[in-house]
Amino acid sequence: MPGNSRPTASPEAGARMQPTRTTRLLQTGRPPAGQGPRPVNPPVMRASTVVFDSVAEWRAARQQRQTRQVLSYGARGTQTTFALENALSELEKGHRTQLYPTGLAAATQVLMALLRPGEHLLITDAVYAPVRHFCSTWLPARGVDCEFYAADGHDVAARLRPGKTRMIYAEVPGSLLNDMLDLPALAALARSCGAWLAVDNTWASGWLLNPLTLGADISILAATKYIAGHSDLLLGAAVCNERAYPILAHFSESTGQTVSPDDAALALRGLRTLELRLERHERNALAVAQWLGRQPAVARVFHPALPDDPGHALWKRDFKGGNGLLAVEFHDPDPGRRDRFVDALECFGIGASWGGFESLAVPIDPAALRSVGAWHGRGSFVRLHVGLESPEDLCQDLMQAIAAAQFTTAPPQPDPDRSPP
Ligand SMILES: *Cc1c(COP(=O)(O)O)cnc(C)c1O
């Protein structure tokens, strides 16, 4: 096994080793050496009030906290949350990280902190649905002009309004159907008109893609998903470059965003096994995707690691791997039989969110969440999160659920009212 072989070149005496990112994932955010005995993991520090020995010390802490991680008040962070911030900054190759109570809060805070009345936002049509809702309601009510662009990003250049466009917001791959975007191209467009590029990087969770290295200013993470990895907490993060961080940090303080130290400690624990879990999620998802692709009831499976996926080339260029998320389109457009399929599943829980160790299934209606361009889907859709169970069990479960649904397997006939004359 090449992975087990020892390095052949003999290192120079005294040279400091440069650990790989696999090793750094285990080391980052841990209590530093050189300060005596210490636990492996940072202690959970619960605090609202922090007390000082003198007014001078209190005053110094309040001054320093503007630029450094110092203990001053619980809402401004503790040893535990600082450790997670630092780990995420390293993971994403960012300057610093701002934590939020949920992934959705991270996304909406980024939008509110960086956009002002009269400014123009370009946001992907494949954005996570609650962010779409925020950009269709609250943000326009505050004077921000929100415009959606096509899920494949082909129309971004044409929609750009130099002098007015202040942010391009991307999510890659997009929610539900895994649409791919060309991030370096979006970064060049954003730069050309002085706009921010914010990227929701929850799918890759900081491990499979680092948007900041491709020109983004901010990488948004729902740590709720693969980083936490066990479906037992909610947490968000915005990993920032030097330009974006001070604005987000200030807005966060002003609006009282803070996270629990217990959740931060659990997220840090989850982070240690992120690489291992993602590898297995991807392997299982591909086994399930290939099996589904052979079923007569299935019209299409959506996962960018599949060679015939339209986003496959971009995914291969930019990503280091895949995860357990996929969508299935059944030929049968009947939502009742589709729901019967989901109800019949035994290994897949019916539930929102994903990124935990377990498999999940939910009926989805992508057409209802798209507003740009024509929608070509004809069948009914289910989103699967493929967990760490045995893929044989998962395929067996899917097989009995397909049988129970009693799908019509033939592709639907063209609707005479909708076909061209
Ligand atoms: C789940 C999700 C979020 C929101 O995360 P929460 O912690 O549940 O608020 C944001 N973006 C994407 C892409 C997600 O899948």
Side-chain angles (χ1 to χ4, degrees):
M1 287 264 300
N4 290 340
S5 63
R6 295 187 168 275
T8 46
S10 57
E12 278 176 49
R16 288 198 60 87
M17 79 173 272
Q18 294 284 335
T20 60
R21 62 188 211 116
T22 293
T23 302
R24 285 300 303 156
L25 188 65
L26 305 185
Q27 296 173 343
T28 182
R30 281 172 45 186
Q35 290 164 25
R38 57 199 183 277
V40 169
N41 298 302
V44 177
M45 183 187 267
R46 295 195 188 91
S48 56
T49 298
V50 172
V51 291
F52 298 85
D53 289 336
S54 67
V55 172
E57 199 179 68
W58 173 75
R59 199 165 277 141
R62 294 172 76 84
Q63 203 182 19
Q64 287 166 359
R65 72 183 183 186
Q66 304 308 334
T67 50
R68 291 176 32 210
Q69 292 171 322
V70 293
L71 200 59
S72 68
Y73 181 59
R76 300 297 192 95
T78 63
Q79 201 176 322
T80 322
T81 56
F82 295 153
L84 178 63
E85 285 171 13
N86 294 341
L88 295 178
S89 299
E90 178 170 346
L91 183 75
E92 280 280 37
K93 303 181 173 61
H95 166 63
R96 282 188 64 176
T97 296
Q98 183 64 49
L99 297 177
Y100 299 96
T102 64
L104 180 58
T108 57
Q109 286 271 313
V110 164
L111 293 163
M112 284 192 286
L114 299 177
L115 293 166
R116 290 191 163 55
E119 293 180 338
H120 178 229
L121 163 72
L122 279 174
I123 186 159
T124 170
D125 206 26
V127 75
Y128 175 64
V131 174
R132 180 182 193 89
H133 178 73
F134 183 76
C135 292
S136 309
T137 54
W138 299 104
L139 216 45
R142 278 149 187 77
V144 178
D145 188 350
C146 302
E147 181 178 354
F148 290 92
Y149 61 83
D152 67 0
H154 75 272
D155 53 354
V156 174
R159 293 179 189 273
L160 217 54
R161 297 185 213 156
K164 201 148 184 283
T165 304
R166 196 69 186 117
M167 182 188 290
I168 300 176
Y169 186 107
E171 182 182 320
V172 62
S175 273
L176 303 183
L177 299 184
N178 290 328
D179 309 79
M180 286 297 304
L181 286 166
D182 187 338
L183 281 188
L186 289 184
L189 287 173
R191 224 173 297 123
S192 76
C193 68
W196 300 100
L197 176 60
V199 179
D200 187 329
N201 193 31
T202 300
W203 194 96
S205 291
W207 185 252
L208 306 171
L209 178 83
N210 294 133
L212 273 72
T213 65
L214 300 178
D217 299 289
I218 300 148
S219 174
I220 295 164
L221 298 167
T224 307
K225 306 283 170 59
Y226 283 120
I227 290 174
H230 295 74
S231 305
D232 52 4
L233 66 99
L234 290 148
L235 209 140
V239 187
C240 302
N241 63 13
E242 288 187 53
R243 200 159 63 97
Y245 178 74
I247 306 172
L248 289 191
H250 186 205
F251 193 73
S252 188
E253 278 162 37
S254 306
T255 54
Q257 302 294 313
T258 189
V259 308
S260 126
D262 296 271
D263 291 343
L266 283 175
L268 208 44
R269 174 197 284 215
L271 198 62
R272 306 305 176 198
T273 54
L274 180 62
E275 180 181 21
L276 272 178
R277 287 183 287 108
L278 279 173
E279 274 176 15
R280 182 63 75 90
H281 281 291
E282 179 186 28
R283 196 185 336 146
N284 285 2
L286 287 177
V288 166
Q290 277 151 10
W291 182 85
L292 279 169
R294 292 193 297 269
Q295 307 312 305
V298 171
R300 193 174 152 193
V301 183
F302 298 77
H303 191 294
L306 296 173
D308 56 354
D309 189 275
H312 183 68
L314 277 178
W315 173 81
K316 247 189 124 153
R317 186 190 73 185
D318 293 342
F319 284 69
K320 292 190 173 77
N323 68 20
L325 273 181
L326 50 90
V328 196
E329 180 180 5
F330 293 106
H331 286 298
D332 189 341
D334 181 62
R337 284 190 289 271
R338 184 268 318 270
D339 289 358
R340 200 152 68 199
F341 162 81
V342 176
D343 276 333
L345 289 166
E346 290 173 22
C347 287
F348 290 77
I350 302 170
S353 202
W354 42 268
F357 51 82
E358 82 289 13
S359 287
L360 295 170
V362 276
I364 56 171
D365 181 9
L369 296 169
R370 296 284 169 103
S371 58
V372 180
W375 172 252
H376 299 297
R378 308 192 67 103
S380 57
F381 291 79
V382 173
R383 203 269 308 280
L384 298 178
H385 175 252
V386 179
L388 306 177
E389 301 88 347
S390 138
E392 290 76 24
D393 290 341
L394 296 177
C395 291
Q396 208 162 43
D397 192 24
L398 291 163
M399 182 160 70
Q400 64 79 21
I402 288 175
Q406 297 183 298
F407 285 126
T408 57
T409 51
Q413 294 306 304
D415 181 343
D417 294 337
R418 285 167 68 195
S419 51

